Amino acid sequence: MSETPQGDIGGAGADQAAAFDLAGFMTDFEKQMAVLRRQAQPARALIDAMSVRVVSDGGEVAVTATISGELVDVEFLPAAASVAPIDLAALVVDTYDRAAAAARERTRDLVEGAVDHNARTRNLAHRLMEQAAAERAQQRVEE
């Protein structure tokens, strides 16, 4: 036996859906994101170095993803006000995909830079050791 009366289809649930305040929800979401941004401020330099921010083509949203692909921030820009919620959701997903891809590229650049730097450091150390050995050998010849 169903606990929902047959005559209530589209009743209370429909009222709840109609009463959903999208503008209020978005305002609360923006407030929560602002709090998270303030809390993250001490780590901002590290986050900036390890993340990529991408703005949608129409300037509606900005999405930040870390080099590991984690979503760090979603910012709704003024142009978002004229976009339907379903289209805005699609823009967030598309922009996040682009940010994650750009972050992966940045990861490659950072790793290659670190590897190249380490290789240059090792090469310099080897050259200095060879130079020191050559100078010692020259000093022995001169003695």
Side-chain angles (χ1 to χ4, degrees):
M1 180 169 148
S2 172
E3 293 184 23
T4 305
Q6 292 295 328
D8 193 33
I9 295 175
D15 291 340
Q16 288 175 347
F20 179 72
D21 180 14
L22 181 61
F25 174 80
M26 292 301 292
T27 299
D28 287 344
F29 181 78
E30 286 287 338
K31 286 178 185 175
Q32 290 174 9
M33 290 305 296
V35 168
L36 289 174
R37 283 186 200 103
R38 282 193 300 277
Q39 291 173 346
Q41 195 59 39
R44 193 79 228 168
L46 180 59
I47 291 170
D48 288 346
M50 304 296 282
S51 64
V52 173
R53 181 176 187 265
V54 173
V55 177
S56 62
D57 292 337
E60 301 88 354
V61 297
V63 176
T64 304
T66 67
I67 59 174
S68 65
E70 290 182 62
L71 179 64
V72 175
D73 190 24
V74 175
E75 182 181 357
F76 293 95
L77 304 173
S82 63
V83 178
I86 191 71
D87 295 332
L88 197 55
L91 281 170
V92 169
V93 171
D94 179 61
T95 306
Y96 168 66
D97 287 343
R98 291 177 37 224
R104 281 191 299 276
E105 284 296 317
R106 184 167 186 171
T107 302
R108 189 172 327 164
D109 293 343
L110 290 172
V111 169
E112 286 176 0
V115 169
D116 288 348
H117 175 73
N118 289 338
R120 285 190 303 271
T121 301
R122 280 193 312 278
N123 288 339
L124 176 61
H126 285 293
R127 280 197 313 269
L128 290 174
M129 290 186 334
E130 289 170 358
Q131 184 179 8
E135 288 175 8
R136 274 187 300 211
Q138 182 63 36
Q139 288 173 353
R140 289 185 193 138
V141 170
E142 292 175 359
E143 292 176 353

